[in-house]
């Protein structure tokens, strides 16, 4: 397959992609690093000068940063736990013989295709509104005090919305993994006298472990950058109660026009994401070999 | 006896699955229901399951807002970025699948790693560059950005599909006198149609629903549906019926596309790590 | 039209030297078969000739023109792959027409040529089908059809029949042989199958670890193997090799006797032994005989020869048809039985 001729062509054909992605990754990132060492505010662009580590210091010592970091981790962690546990249960359920399986699958999968702004607004208004929302009505009919979701538990509210969006993804992937489980293996274990619970922990769960890792890592990458759901529901508030790192940087950059500060925050976000990315690359790399 | 047990079990699971499925689907169902209510019915307490349906909201959204323009923006941006990504990715995937070198694997890994760069890390410079180049709030600018963020996934998916095509068939075409572009157009692409189709689907869905760059780089002019809907969040929502109608129109095309293609999407969504 | 010459052709993959250096001269119109154990470089050599791989060293000449740097399409060769490599999305007609379309031939001319080829190959009724709707033998014929319409100077076949069942294989073998007689075009054919090699070839190239062990007519290889490898590879069941004192009696490191050159008797003979396996095939009976110090010997007896497991038999090798090999496996002094008739032998 490989002659010198095809090899040259092949380099030429891969070049545009490489150049584009390199430009996309390297140039803006370099600029972000550069800006992060500048004192630079768009409201006052003439007073731009070198700032040393000031932006980083300022960003990190801001109490909002610590809150945003915690919120980011709670958001990612909370959604992961809900989607993984829920996804495993749902996958096990959907793997059973069910009448109308195709339609049930569609019901389960649908939230994944809803754009973030729409799902956030449906939940904010029609589900979680403290007066007219479905939850409020249920609470009232049970004689309970309705919860004002976004005022009293803003981060939890966002976790619920995001988990609802990502549960289908986890379910779909885990179900696919489950269905690829060799039924002979299960039969053999059953012949050996394994009870359903033992069967799950010794056969099914190990088989799904790779899919679970994939779900965790891919979701993590997207969840670190949750933005629209916060923007259209709480706007990060009250205070910074539902501000994550992405939203904090957005607010610095496009609301306060503090380019330097936002850039420093961006670099911190990149470092955080890289720690996650290293694991992901390792894992996918292994899969390539397998 | 065992048959009857099996049937009972099956009915039990059916009820459970349908029950949970309907709960998961409920917000979407409720949105659809609300979109046909009057604004008054929409906030009735207790909520109305049966009511006099109206298409008033749809007509009003279409008449009073620029829904159609934003819809077209979404189509152009999602479609354009997908087509551009395919044009760039097909040659690259061909090259990696059929003429691999020692670096191929590393290049692929590196490409995927760009997907992990958090958008806020480059928000500031991209915003400033767009400001300078006059690309803010343009469909062109956004199309390019969405193409770039999805390019690695497109290359990866095509690569995994191409790898399943036996190299001998391409060699046969070479023996038959096909030059490279003919080999790709007449032999490779027709054989890869299913793979290309599911790659396109996933990319269109991701681009249609992308809500970081679309919200940050557009305003009135180039805003796709994600940004158009976000504008409904400002007034402390008593226009639920209209919001629902607009939302229904925003998600319907992709929802239906997704229903039909869910099986093919798994592979792309996991970078082929789960089959 | 259609002579092919390889001059010190060398191929290295990474740090594995697959073809250390091959010289070969193939005449126009010859049917040449490459045989050899799996992984010995048969396909690689064929692909080097086709231009699907670059040479690490050496030259390929077609009709005395150096084509070493030419793209496959420019060499005027046609190849039939083991997997057939048909275009699954095209009808049989379009599969056969593809090379002509690539050559930008006129539509009516394409039509005629494809129909002629389909006629020759009994494919006329299937022209509108897709390859997926054809049987293995029909697919094979389409692949051949695609090759012949180009009127190449030589055909290259890489184990074309190995995916077919036994009966169909014999059929297709005859068809290919007939095709060769009709077209009189050079053919190079790679196979694992000795019967294919012996029946089809004008001359056979025996390859081992990328080296040409011997190049000659089928009978030459059978009667005058130039070394132990060829002697063992050609002929079925395999030649018996005996080392030690018995070989020393013949002034050799190893001696070889083919199973068909051993007389089997129940009463007397040179060697005696106990039958461990007796395979009664009808026409022949193959025996595996445990002969003590000499080792296990395979011998052919007539179909009527009735012995069973545990019986004692006596074996007498035909001394005129005993091969002798030195320490390096080279044949010592041929014992010619029959004049060589092909006249164009070249033994490296
Ligand atoms: N592209 C390649 N890269 C590295 N090594 C290769 C490549 N192609 C072939 N080889 C090696 O070269 C040797 C010869 O391969 P080749 O396919 O020519 O064998 P063959 O004689 O056709 O075997 P078979 O009868 O099994 O088809 C093998 O050891 C193989 O592993
Ligand atoms: Mg081979």
């Amino acid at each position: 397959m490989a002659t010198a001729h095809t090899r040259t062509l092949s380099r030429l054909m891969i070049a545009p992609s490489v150049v584009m992605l390199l430009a996309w990754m390297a140039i803006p990132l370099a600029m972000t690093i550069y800006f992060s060492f500048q004192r630079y505010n768009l409201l006052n662009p003439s007073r731009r000068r070198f700032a040393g580590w000031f932006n980083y210091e300022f960003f990190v010592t801001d109490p909002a940063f610590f809150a945003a970091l915690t919120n980011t981790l709670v958001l990612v962690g909370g959604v992961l736990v809900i989607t993984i546990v829920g996804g495993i249960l749902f996958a096990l359920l959907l793997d059973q013989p069910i009448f109308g399986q195709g339609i049930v699958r569609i019901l389960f999968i649908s939230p994944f295709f809803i754009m973030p702004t729409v799902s956030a607004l449906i939940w904010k208004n029609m589900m979680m509104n403290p007066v007219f929302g479905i939850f409020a009505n249920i609470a009232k009919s049970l004689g309970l005090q309705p919860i004002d979701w976004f005022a009293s538990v803003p981060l939890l509210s966002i976790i619920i919305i995001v988990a609802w969006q990502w549960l289908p993804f986890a379910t779909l992937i885990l179900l696919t993994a489950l269905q690829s489980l060799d039924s002979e293996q299960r039969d053999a274990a059953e012949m050996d006298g394994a009870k359903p619970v033992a069967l799950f922990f010794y056969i099914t769960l190990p088989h799904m472990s790779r899919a679970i890792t994939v779900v965790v890592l891919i979701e993590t990458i997207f969840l670190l950058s949750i933005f629209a759901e916060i923007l259209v529901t709480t706007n990060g508030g009250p205070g910074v109660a539902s501000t994550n790192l992405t939203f904090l940087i957005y607010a610095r950059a496009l609301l306060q026009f503090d380019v330097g500060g936002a850039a420093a925050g961006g670099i911190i976000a990149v470092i955080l994401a890289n720690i996650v990315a290293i694991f992901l690359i390792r894992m996918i790399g292994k899969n390539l070999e397998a | 006896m065992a048959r009857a047990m099996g049937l009972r079990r099956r009915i039990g699971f059916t009820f459970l699955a349908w029950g949970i499925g309907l709960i998961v689907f409920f917000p979407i169902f409720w949105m659809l229901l609300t979109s046909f209510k009057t604004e008054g019915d929409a906030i009735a307490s207790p909520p109305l399951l049966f009511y006099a349906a109206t298409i008033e909201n749809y007509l009003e959204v279409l008449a009073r807002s620029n829904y159609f323009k934003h819809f077209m923006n979404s189509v152009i941006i999602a479609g354009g970025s997908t087509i551009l990504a395919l044009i760039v990715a097909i040659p690259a995937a061909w090259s990696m699948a059929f003429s691999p070198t020692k670096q191929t694997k590393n290049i692929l890994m590196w490409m995927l790693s760009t997907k992990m760069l958090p958008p806020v890390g480059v928000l500031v410079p991209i915003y400033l560059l767009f400001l300078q180049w006059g690309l803010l709030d343009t469909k062109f600018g956004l199309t390019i950005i969405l193409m770039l963020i999805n390019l690695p996934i497109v290359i990866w998916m095509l690569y995994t599909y191409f790898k399943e095509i036996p190299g001998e068939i391409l060699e046969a075409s070479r023996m038959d006198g096909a030059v490279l572009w003919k080999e790709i157009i007449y032999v490779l692409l027709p054989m890869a149609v299913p793979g290309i189709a599911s790659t396109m689907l996933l990319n269109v869905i991701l681009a249609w629903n992308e809500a970081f760059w679309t919200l940050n780089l557009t305003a009135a002019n180039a805003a796709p549906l994600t940004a158009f809907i976000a504008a409904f969040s400002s007034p402390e929502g008593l226009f639920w019926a209209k919001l629902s109608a607009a939302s229904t129109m925003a998600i319907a095309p992709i929802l239906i596309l997704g229903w039909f293609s869910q099986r093919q999407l798994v592979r792309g969504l996991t970078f082929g790590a789960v089959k | 039209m259609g002579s092919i010459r390889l001059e010190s052709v060398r191929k290295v993959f990474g740090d594995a030297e697959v073809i250390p250096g091959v010289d070969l001269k193939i005449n126009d119109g010859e049917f040449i078969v490459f045989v050899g154990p799996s992984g010995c470089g048969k396909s690689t050599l064929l692909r080097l000739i086709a231009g699907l791989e670059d040479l690490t060293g050496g030259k390929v000449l077609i009709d005395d023109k150096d084509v070493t740097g030419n793209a496959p399409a420019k060499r005027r060769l046609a190849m039939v792959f083991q997997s057939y490599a048909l275009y699954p999305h095209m009808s049989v007609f379009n599969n056969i027409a593809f090379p002509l379309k690539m050559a930008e031939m006129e539509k009516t001319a394409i039509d005629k040529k494809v129909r002629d080829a389909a006629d020759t190959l009994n494919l006329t009724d299937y022209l509108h089908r897709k390859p997926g709707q054809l049987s293995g033998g029909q697919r094979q014929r389409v692949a051949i059809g695609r090759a012949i319409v180009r009127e190449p100077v030589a055909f290259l076949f890489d184990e074309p029949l190995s995916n077919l069942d036994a009966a169909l294989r014999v059929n297709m073998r005859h068809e290919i042989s007939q095709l060769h007689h009709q077209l009189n075009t050079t053919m190079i054919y790679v196979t694992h199958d000795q019967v294919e090699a012996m029946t089809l070839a004008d001359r056979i190239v025996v390859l081992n670890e990328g080296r040409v062990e011997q190049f000659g007519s089928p009978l030459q290889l059978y009667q005058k193997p130039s070394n132990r490898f060829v002697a063992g590879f050609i002929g079925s069941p395999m030649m018996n090799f005996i080392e030690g004192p018995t070989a020393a009696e013949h002034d050799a490191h190893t001696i070889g006797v083919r199973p068909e050159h051993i007389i089997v008797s129940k009463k007397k003979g040179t060697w005696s032994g106990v039958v461990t396996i007796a395979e009664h095939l009808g026409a022949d009976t193959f025996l595996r005989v445990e002969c003590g110090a000499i080792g296990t010997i395979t011998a052919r007896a007539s179909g009527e020869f009735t012995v069973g497991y545990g019986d004692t038999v006596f074996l007498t090798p035909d001394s005129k048809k005993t091969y002798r090999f030195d320490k390096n496996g080279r044949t010592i002094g041929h014992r010619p039985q029959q004049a060589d008739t092909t006249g164009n032998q070249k033994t490296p």
Side-chain angles (χ1 to χ4, degrees):
Chain A
M1 178 108 277
T3 64
H5 186 61
T6 51
R7 264 199 301 276
T8 314
L9 275 173
S10 121
R11 292 225 177 87
L12 277 178
M13 309 226 309
I14 203 169
S17 307
V18 172
V19 170
M20 279 182 179
L21 286 175
L22 199 62
W24 162 242
M25 188 155 100
I27 296 173
L29 202 57
M31 286 174 72
T32 306
I33 293 173
Y34 170 75
F35 286 138
S36 72
F37 293 106
Q38 297 280 314
R39 188 165 290 186
Y40 183 16
N41 193 305
L42 284 183
L43 294 178
N44 213 337
S46 55
R47 285 192 36 210
R48 179 169 162 184
R49 59 193 164 78
F50 182 69
W53 293 98
F54 171 81
N55 286 322
Y56 288 94
E57 266 177 57
F58 185 78
F59 196 87
V60 171
T61 52
D62 182 351
F65 167 71
F66 189 71
L69 192 63
T70 322
N71 288 341
T72 306
L73 296 179
V74 171
L75 179 59
V76 173
V79 174
L80 278 180
V81 170
I82 297 174
T83 55
I84 296 291
V85 174
I88 291 175
L89 293 176
F90 285 5
L92 286 172
L93 180 59
L94 288 179
D95 195 34
Q96 304 299 325
I98 290 169
F99 291 107
Q101 191 145 33
I103 299 173
V104 175
R105 242 177 108 110
I106 280 178
L107 293 179
F108 271 95
I109 232 65
S110 294
F112 185 68
F113 301 118
I114 310 297
M115 55 179 64
T117 44
V118 166
S119 53
L121 283 177
I122 301 176
W123 278 87
K124 175 188 175 185
N125 292 319
M126 285 169 277
M127 297 291 122
M128 291 175 165
N129 184 291
V131 183
F132 306 109
I134 294 290
F135 289 166
N137 275 299
I138 292 173
K140 271 185 276 180
S141 69
L142 295 175
L144 300 171
Q145 181 65 36
I147 308 170
D148 187 353
W149 289 87
F150 290 100
S152 50
V153 282
L155 195 58
L156 177 66
S157 308
I158 289 168
I159 289 177
I160 292 173
I161 298 173
V162 176
W164 178 75
Q165 285 179 284
W166 282 94
L167 199 51
F169 171 78
T171 306
L172 189 64
I173 303 300
L174 295 172
L175 180 61
T176 308
L178 201 56
Q179 285 170 342
S180 73
L181 176 60
D182 187 2
S183 67
E184 281 184 5
Q185 202 184 343
R186 224 185 300 194
D187 293 345
E190 241 170 300
M191 296 288 287
D192 291 343
K195 297 256 157 40
V197 175
L199 209 61
F200 174 75
F201 281 104
Y202 290 109
I203 306 285
T204 313
L205 203 56
H207 176 78
M208 286 205 285
S209 64
R210 174 153 142 176
I212 292 173
T213 335
V214 170
V215 171
V216 168
L217 295 171
I218 289 179
E219 280 194 12
T220 306
I221 284 169
F222 281 92
L223 295 178
L224 281 173
S225 303
I226 287 293
F227 173 73
E229 292 84 344
I230 298 174
L231 181 73
V232 300
T233 55
T234 63
N235 237 313
V240 288
S242 60
T243 297
N244 69 351
L245 214 45
T246 301
F247 197 83
L248 183 67
I249 296 163
Y250 151 81
R252 272 287 144 72
L254 300 189
L255 299 182
Q256 298 163 23
F257 299 104
D258 176 7
V259 171
I267 295 303
I268 291 170
V270 169
I271 291 168
L272 195 68
N274 263 316
I275 296 171
V276 178
I278 287 167
F279 287 104
L280 183 57
I281 291 284
R282 283 238 179 107
M283 202 205 66
I284 293 180
K286 257 192 223 131
N287 278 330
L288 251 188
E289 265 131 49
Chain B
M1 184 66 202
R3 283 274 292 277
M5 280 275 291
L7 189 65
R8 275 239 292 282
R9 240 176 73 130
R10 188 163 176 179
I11 291 174
F13 279 126
T14 301
F15 269 104
L16 191 60
W18 274 88
I20 297 177
L22 288 172
I23 291 174
V24 168
F25 190 74
F26 181 78
I28 301 171
F29 167 74
W30 197 249
M31 172 193 75
L32 196 65
L33 215 61
T34 307
S35 73
F36 292 106
K37 291 178 179 175
T38 60
E39 293 294 357
D41 284 348
I43 54 170
S45 185
L48 294 174
L49 199 53
F50 301 100
Y51 57 92
T54 168
I55 57 163
E56 192 66 21
N57 303 306
Y58 287 91
L59 297 178
E60 226 175 290
V61 168
L62 289 175
R64 283 216 276 169
S65 68
N66 248 330
Y67 171 81
F68 193 69
K69 177 172 119 185
H70 299 298
F71 175 81
M72 280 319 290
N73 285 347
S74 272
V75 170
I76 291 168
I77 291 166
S81 66
T82 302
I83 290 166
L84 278 181
L86 278 179
I87 292 173
V88 178
I90 285 173
W94 173 89
S95 152
M96 291 196 269
F98 298 113
S99 184
T101 62
K102 285 199 197 86
Q103 292 94 40
T104 297
K105 222 196 270 178
N106 294 332
I107 293 177
L108 259 174
M109 282 299 105
W110 167 76
M111 285 179 167
L112 281 183
S113 75
T114 64
K115 193 65 205 143
M116 290 147 208
L117 182 70
V120 280
V122 292
L123 172 65
V124 170
I126 293 290
Y127 187 85
L128 293 179
L129 287 175
F130 269 42
L131 190 65
Q132 200 170 3
W133 294 337
L135 286 176
L136 275 182
D137 202 18
T138 62
K139 290 186 280 275
F140 175 75
L142 205 54
T143 305
I144 297 295
I145 294 282
L146 291 192
M147 176 201 87
L148 287 169
I149 62 174
N150 285 336
L151 188 58
I153 297 186
V154 175
I155 292 178
W156 175 269
M157 281 184 78
L158 289 177
Y159 167 77
T160 60
Y161 287 116
F162 284 1
K163 265 187 75 117
E164 280 172 17
I165 291 172
E168 277 195 354
I169 294 185
L170 299 189
E171 291 183 338
S173 79
R174 242 169 265 170
M175 292 294 295
D176 283 345
V179 290
L180 184 63
W181 69 267
K182 286 183 175 174
E183 169 186 326
I184 290 183
I185 292 193
Y186 294 126
V187 181
L188 176 62
L189 292 188
M191 287 173 69
V193 162
I196 292 174
S198 61
T199 307
M200 279 182 78
L201 273 172
L202 179 65
N203 202 55
V204 165
I205 291 171
L206 290 177
W208 188 275
N209 290 341
E210 204 287 330
F212 181 80
W213 294 108
T214 51
L215 291 177
N216 279 316
L217 296 183
T218 64
N221 183 35
L225 289 169
T226 43
F228 168 67
I229 297 293
F232 277 83
S233 68
S234 343
E236 196 43 63
L238 289 175
F239 301 102
W240 293 4
K242 275 185 270 310
L243 164 66
S244 297
S247 298
T248 305
M249 288 191 285
I251 63 166
I254 285 310
L255 192 59
I256 291 166
L257 210 59
W259 284 345
F260 283 113
S261 58
Q262 38 154 330
R263 270 163 220 274
Q264 289 85 301
L265 293 180
V266 172
R267 184 168 170 172
L269 287 171
T270 63
F271 304 113
V274 176
K275 291 233 169 84
Chain C
M1 284 295 285
S3 74
I4 296 174
R5 213 161 76 223
L6 306 187
E7 289 181 359
S8 341
V9 165
R10 215 167 82 83
K11 180 66 188 176
V12 177
F13 284 119
D15 41 32
E17 188 173 50
V18 174
I19 311 279
V22 164
D23 287 279
L24 216 56
K25 193 170 170 307
I26 295 168
N27 300 323
D28 180 29
E30 262 192 308
F31 200 121
I32 298 294
V33 172
F34 291 176
V35 292
S38 189
C40 69
K42 304 181 293 292
S43 300
T44 306
L45 198 56
L46 202 67
R47 293 161 57 80
L48 287 170
I49 297 172
L52 293 170
E53 301 276 357
D54 275 336
L55 280 73
T56 309
K59 276 198 274 188
V60 175
L61 296 97
I62 297 176
D63 288 330
D64 296 319
K65 272 211 306 285
D66 188 349
V67 295
T68 312
N70 291 8
K74 302 234 172 79
R75 300 187 181 198
R76 294 177 303 149
L77 302 173
M79 185 150 168
V80 175
F81 294 85
Q82 180 174 359
S83 62
Y84 316 136
L86 299 180
Y87 310 121
H89 56 289
M90 296 182 200
S91 65
V92 168
F93 182 96
N94 285 328
N95 259 283
I96 300 177
F98 189 76
L100 303 178
K101 284 184 183 160
M102 291 300 110
E104 282 164 14
M105 192 179 270
E106 210 195 330
K107 240 187 135 166
T108 47
I110 292 181
D111 204 67
K112 180 168 182 335
K113 284 199 149 205
V114 173
R115 284 181 197 287
D116 287 350
D119 216 32
T120 325
L121 294 163
N122 285 326
L123 286 170
T124 311
D125 294 340
Y126 308 106
L127 281 176
H128 298 291
R129 292 214 196 158
K130 295 269 171 70
Q133 303 162 310
L134 298 178
S135 71
Q138 289 163 343
R139 281 181 214 183
Q140 183 62 67
R141 275 200 282 268
V142 177
I144 293 174
R146 193 172 63 183
I148 58 178
V149 286
R150 299 182 58 204
E151 297 172 13
V153 297
F155 290 93
L156 311 177
F157 294 92
D158 193 352
E159 308 201 25
L161 307 185
S162 58
N163 285 340
L164 302 178
D165 66 52
L168 205 52
R169 247 164 125 146
V170 175
N171 256 333
M172 286 304 298
R173 194 173 85 211
H174 293 160
E175 285 188 32
I176 290 176
S177 171
Q178 222 165 2
L179 198 67
H180 181 237
H181 290 300
Q182 268 170 35
L183 302 173
N184 255 318
T185 310
T186 313
M187 295 188 173
I188 304 179
Y189 188 106
V190 168
T191 183
H192 265 117
D193 187 324
Q194 276 206 32
V195 182
E196 278 175 31
M198 299 296 279
T199 53
L200 287 171
D202 293 325
R203 286 194 294 164
I204 296 177
V205 178
V206 182
L207 285 168
N208 183 27
E209 292 177 357
R211 286 186 319 274
V212 176
E213 294 284 351
Q214 194 169 356
F215 184 24
S217 72
L219 278 184
Q220 248 173 9
L221 299 191
Y222 179 80
Q223 291 165 349
K224 295 190 264 174
S226 63
N227 55 40
R228 187 180 155 162
F229 179 82
V230 176
F233 197 78
I234 303 287
S236 167
M238 196 176 149
M239 181 184 278
N240 297 293
F241 293 107
I242 302 156
E243 297 180 359
T246 318
E249 283 170 28
H250 290 80
D251 280 335
H253 180 265
T254 310
I255 57 166
V257 193
R258 296 197 187 276
E260 56 269 37
H261 298 152
I262 295 175
I263 298 163
V264 187
S265 156
K266 286 181 190 167
K267 302 196 185 75
K268 62 177 172 28
T270 318
W271 305 321
S272 75
V274 179
V275 175
T276 55
I277 300 174
E279 293 175 320
H280 298 279
L281 300 182
D284 298 313
T285 300
F286 290 111
L287 302 175
R288 279 182 70 74
V289 183
E290 194 56 57
C291 292
I294 291 164
T296 307
I297 301 288
T298 307
R300 189 184 73 180
S302 71
E304 298 88 57
F305 195 80
T306 49
V307 284
Y309 177 82
D311 294 347
T312 300
V313 291
F314 297 90
L315 307 175
T316 312
D318 180 344
S319 63
K320 271 187 264 164
K321 293 179 179 168
T322 302
Y323 296 88
R324 301 184 305 143
F325 305 99
D326 66 15
K327 227 177 38 235
N328 301 319
R330 275 194 296 267
T331 305
I332 310 169
H334 280 302
R335 301 178 174 201
Q337 290 105 36
Q338 205 181 325
D340 176 33
T341 49
T342 51
N344 50 7
Q345 84 180 85
K346 177 178 184 278
T347 328

